[in-house]
Amino acid sequence: MNTNATSAAPKPHEHVVCTSFDSGEGVLVDLNTKKYFQLNETALLVWESLERGQSRGQIVSKLMELYDVAPEHAEASLERLLKNLRSYKLVREG
């Protein structure tokens, strides 16, 4: 694993609300922009982990365990999602 995987993960902004559905998916609503973002099962798992303050390493481990993927795949998926969340200003660093 790279050193990035053990570092702190971003924190959700206070103006973003998450609702999860029985289907395992969810929706984020940015109360500032009134935009909403649909989350698939994996993205919802990551978002809820961010809300709990888990590290990148903890999230990668959870992805590996639940989806039986290699560490590199889990890290790449996490970083891709975090990049998207940052681009919409849904999370802030540490």
Side-chain angles (χ1 to χ4, degrees):
M1 270 189 222
N2 65 35
T3 55
N4 203 24
T6 57
S7 62
K11 306 280 186 238
H13 274 295
E14 296 78 18
H15 59 84
V16 180
V17 178
C18 180
T19 300
S20 59
F21 303 110
D22 291 339
S23 64
E25 297 180 339
V27 172
L28 296 179
V29 179
D30 183 332
L31 300 176
N32 287 350
T33 64
K34 308 295 187 253
K35 291 183 181 178
Y36 70 93
F37 305 87
Q38 186 173 354
L39 301 178
N40 65 18
E41 181 181 333
T42 305
L44 180 61
L45 176 134
V46 169
W47 183 264
E48 290 174 340
S49 297
L50 295 176
E51 287 182 325
R52 288 192 291 275
Q54 294 183 337
S55 70
R56 282 181 163 89
Q58 290 171 310
I59 298 170
V60 166
S61 293
K62 187 177 283 189
L63 292 172
M64 289 168 44
E65 178 184 328
L66 289 175
Y67 300 108
D68 193 26
V69 295
E72 300 78 21
H73 180 84
E75 285 180 30
S77 295
L78 175 60
E79 288 308 312
R80 193 168 41 253
L81 176 59
L82 293 177
K83 181 179 178 183
N84 284 336
L85 293 173
R86 281 188 208 98
S87 73
Y88 292 109
K89 297 178 178 32
L90 300 172
V91 294
R92 59 184 164 74
E93 293 309 312

